[in-house]
Amino acid sequence: MRAVISVVGKDRPGILAFTANECANRNINIEDVTQKVLEDIFTMIMIVTIPEDPEEYHSFVTDLESLGEAQGLKIHVMHEDIFNAMHRI
Amino acid sequence: MRSDYILETVRMIEEECLDIRTITMGISLLDCCDSDIDVACEKIYRKITTAAKDLVQTAKDISMEYGIPIINERISVTPISLLVSVSGGDPVKYAKTLDKAAKEVGVNFIGGYSALVQKGMTAGDEALIRSIPEALACTDIVCSSVNVGSTKAGINMDAVQLMGKVVRECAELTKDNNCFGASKLVVFCNAVEDNPFMAGAFHGITEPDIVIHVGVSGPGVVREAVKEAGPDKTMNEIAEVIKKTAFKITRMGQLVGSIAAERLGVPFGIVDLSLAPTPAVGDSVARILEEIGLETCGGPGTTACLAMLNDAVKKGGVMASSSVGGLSGAFIPVSEDAGMIEAAEKGVLSIEKLEAMTAVCSVGLDMIIIPGDTTAETISALIADEAAIGMVNNKTTACRLIPAIGKEEGDTLNFGGLLGYGPVMPLRSVSPEVMVKRGGRIPSPIHSLKN
């Protein structure tokens, strides 16, 4: 199953590296990355394959979101099915 | 996958309070009937704690896995008056059992301490109704509802008369706790059997043994969409914007509901696509109406805006779900909606205007705090007015009125949490006593004869 990680925050070096590093540490594969900087605001969308084990996944999400918050980044991890359901007929 | 869609969804959840308001498990208690009330209670406890043992954990798992907030897990059960009719005895025993079982499985409300008496009351119905004040005062999370009218049956005025007294007693018995009892009691006309929202949820007898219903909510999302459309759009263009937004919100509910049902191994019932406000900033139905172009909710134009909003929400949601049900529309509770509270405090929003609004939206006079000296007859008359609107317009209406014992106009009552707070709203002090005491039944309207 795949999840979408969205990261929004003030632009500075190392945001992509930080997120990618967290994924690598948990052996999570990144399938796609899109990023943009608009008026100093960094926005990134990353599509990743997530672990089958729910507990492993839960701890990844909780850690990533709280580590992001500590750095002033808004990180949100959601299942890709949500977007397919909401935006496709 | 388009990144603007992804960012839109994230914004809806992070900033505009989009959430799954409730996952409600409907549980039939018909197989728990017994002529011995203690045996019946034991069967109920066993059935609820078995059927719903994984409900809360499943909701938590889905919330985490999918990244969607799920605010409440709840249970609705078969109207308890049916079980009282079989067992006799003190109905409060059932309330205590429900309370205990619901706490055991960790849900935050259980609904179904109910009776359907639109055409008449059995001994069991009447015993249950008379026990409601005590039942709600001695339990924490049990919710009660009574259906007093329907388009098919007319309005049972004997029940309406009784409910005026019951509402007052509920408030009196809990006067040291913000009259909280009355906020857990809904008096319906045309009650629906698959409503996932409290306090009016019960599990109708035509429903399957166990079923999962989902209630979605997103007033903040709709408001932002209307705001983004700008003031130059025509009303039909605004209706289109609302439809599209309601579609997206409902799709999320459909997805979560079907996953929850699958994991719990029970059938998926309905998505209730209601705009259910909370006192949180940005989660208000009143603010949508103001965004459409009213200075304050409750002023001229309010009913028209609400009619359009309610209809557009349904049209958008209907295609998004395989089965839409429940109340589905816009809720207008006063104490649970920051915009409504402000409008009431300003004196712009009156009970009479709210009554007009209930003719075009999905519910009724909801979470309205009335003066503590309001007589039982006046409460009955307000219930009758609401029921008449529901009966004639083929729609659900309800009353959840809270007499603020010991308080008068200008005071406030604070329930805390999702139930919010609000000012005591003034009522006209002329007496409807003779009308209420007539009792009997208001016959069903001519358009109920459809066969």
Side-chain angles (χ1 to χ4, degrees):
Chain A
M1 100 181 176
R2 298 199 303 178
V4 176
I5 304 175
S6 66
V7 184
V8 181
K10 197 171 174 330
D11 190 34
R12 60 177 170 75
I15 300 180
L16 201 163
F18 155 75
T19 319
N21 202 29
E22 286 302 315
C23 292
N25 287 344
R26 308 277 183 137
N27 204 24
I28 285 172
N29 189 37
I30 300 170
E31 296 187 18
D32 190 18
V33 181
T34 323
Q35 73 151 71
K36 259 188 201 143
V37 179
L38 208 70
E39 290 171 5
D40 218 22
I41 298 293
F42 172 93
T43 309
M44 177 173 72
I45 291 160
M46 202 176 246
I47 297 177
V48 298
T49 318
I50 50 177
E52 291 295 323
D53 177 25
E55 275 183 28
E56 212 177 303
Y57 176 60
H58 288 184
S59 79
F60 167 68
V61 174
T62 324
D63 291 353
L64 184 63
E65 290 184 353
S66 59
L67 284 170
E69 204 181 332
Q71 302 194 25
L73 299 170
K74 269 193 182 169
I75 301 185
H76 210 81
V77 189
M78 293 176 79
H79 197 294
E80 72 165 346
D81 284 357
I82 298 278
F83 306 99
N84 294 335
M86 283 176 80
H87 300 284
R88 281 188 197 157
I89 295 176
Chain B
M1 217 181 304
R2 283 174 49 177
S3 46
D4 53 338
Y5 288 165
I6 293 173
L7 293 175
E8 183 192 356
T9 306
V10 173
R11 193 188 66 221
M12 283 177 174
I13 290 170
E14 293 265 297
E15 291 165 27
E16 298 163 10
C17 309
L18 175 61
D19 55 46
I20 301 290
R21 183 52 48 83
T22 177
I23 295 186
T24 303
M25 179 179 267
I27 303 174
S28 170
L29 298 183
L30 289 174
D31 54 356
C32 302
C33 281
D34 200 287
S35 54
D36 181 331
I37 190 167
D38 295 317
V39 174
C41 285
E42 210 181 298
K43 286 183 188 171
I44 290 172
Y45 183 79
R46 210 178 313 134
K47 180 153 187 187
I48 292 174
T49 51
T50 309
K53 69 177 192 310
D54 297 326
L55 176 62
V56 174
Q57 189 55 46
T58 304
K60 272 197 187 125
D61 290 347
I62 295 173
S63 178
M64 171 58 90
E65 216 168 285
Y66 284 77
I68 298 170
I70 299 174
I71 309 299
N72 299 299
E73 299 84 28
R74 291 164 174 178
I75 293 172
S76 63
V77 297
T78 308
I80 292 295
S81 70
L82 297 174
L83 283 83
V84 178
S85 294
V86 176
S87 68
D90 181 7
V92 176
K93 280 189 177 174
Y94 285 114
K96 287 180 176 163
T97 307
L98 293 178
D99 199 52
K100 195 173 149 206
K103 284 174 180 163
E104 171 65 29
V105 295
V107 295
N108 63 354
F109 275 120
I110 182 163
Y113 198 74
S114 306
L116 312 177
V117 295
Q118 57 268 37
K119 207 157 183 189
M121 287 184 269
T122 63
D125 291 330
E126 194 173 339
L128 180 119
I129 291 173
R130 290 190 186 279
S131 76
I132 289 172
E134 191 194 337
L136 296 185
C138 74
T139 58
D140 297 313
I141 55 176
V142 172
C143 291
S144 174
S145 56
V146 176
N147 192 63
V148 295
S150 74
T151 303
K152 274 280 177 204
I155 302 171
N156 180 348
M157 288 301 292
D158 292 325
V160 168
Q161 189 184 346
L162 183 55
M163 286 314 294
K165 290 183 197 137
V166 169
V167 169
R168 250 205 88 83
E169 271 176 49
C170 281
E172 277 166 4
L173 285 184
T174 51
K175 66 174 189 287
D176 299 330
N177 187 16
N178 289 310
C179 309
F180 190 55
S183 70
K184 296 184 286 182
L185 170 63
V186 184
V187 189
F188 275 117
C189 174
N190 288 326
V192 292
E193 302 203 332
D194 52 7
N195 166 22
F197 285 102
M198 292 298 168
F202 63 88
H203 183 74
I205 54 163
T206 55
E207 292 282 308
D209 190 43
I210 300 172
V211 68
I212 285 288
H213 301 308
V214 164
V216 289
S217 183
V221 180
V222 175
R223 185 203 179 189
E224 276 308 307
V226 173
K227 190 176 176 186
E228 212 169 278
D232 300 327
K233 293 274 190 285
T234 61
M235 284 297 256
N236 48 320
E237 285 168 332
I238 293 294
E240 281 302 309
V241 168
I242 296 171
K243 266 164 69 178
K244 286 178 186 158
T245 312
F247 176 84
K248 291 175 190 169
I249 297 172
T250 311
R251 290 285 279 189
M252 196 175 87
Q254 169 77 19
L255 176 73
V256 168
S258 48
I259 294 166
E262 193 189 319
R263 290 193 185 177
L264 291 162
V266 296
F268 178 43
I270 55 99
V271 178
D272 187 326
L273 43 108
S274 286
L275 295 181
T278 68
V281 176
D283 207 16
S284 154
V285 169
R287 299 285 186 229
I288 302 174
L289 304 177
E290 291 169 0
E291 200 60 59
I292 294 172
L294 304 171
E295 188 183 327
T296 307
C297 176
T302 304
T303 313
C305 289
L306 184 60
M308 183 272 275
L309 170 67
N310 198 58
D311 183 63
V313 166
K314 284 182 202 167
K315 284 176 179 162
V318 131
M319 191 178 151
S321 169
S322 57
S323 179
V324 171
L327 296 166
S328 286
F331 291 176
I332 51 166
V334 175
S335 78
E336 298 173 358
D337 185 311
M340 296 281 176
I341 297 167
E342 200 183 305
E345 280 171 341
K346 277 186 193 165
V348 178
L349 184 64
S350 67
I351 288 190
E352 289 77 10
K353 187 65 181 178
L354 280 160
E355 190 181 314
M357 290 159 75
T358 65
V360 299
C361 77
S362 67
V363 282
L365 294 176
D366 195 12
M367 291 303 283
I368 294 173
I369 301 157
I370 55 176
D373 59 0
T374 308
T375 62
E377 288 76 21
T378 300
I379 296 171
S380 292
L382 285 166
I383 292 170
D385 282 346
E386 262 317 289
I389 290 173
M391 175 181 76
V392 171
N393 293 301
N394 285 305
K395 72 181 287 293
T396 306
T397 48
C399 277
R400 187 156 49 141
L401 303 167
I402 297 110
I405 305 300
K407 298 197 177 200
E408 53 189 32
E409 192 188 337
D411 295 337
T412 58
L413 209 56
N414 190 348
F415 309 104
L418 283 179
L419 295 172
Y421 71 97
V424 177
M425 295 180 76
L427 281 174
R428 298 190 195 279
S429 57
V430 286
S431 171
E433 198 178 329
V434 176
M435 173 267 192
V436 169
K437 285 192 172 160
R438 284 180 192 274
R441 203 152 56 86
I442 295 182
S444 58
I446 185 72
H447 59 255
S448 70
L449 303 171
K450 282 185 175 164
N451 291 338

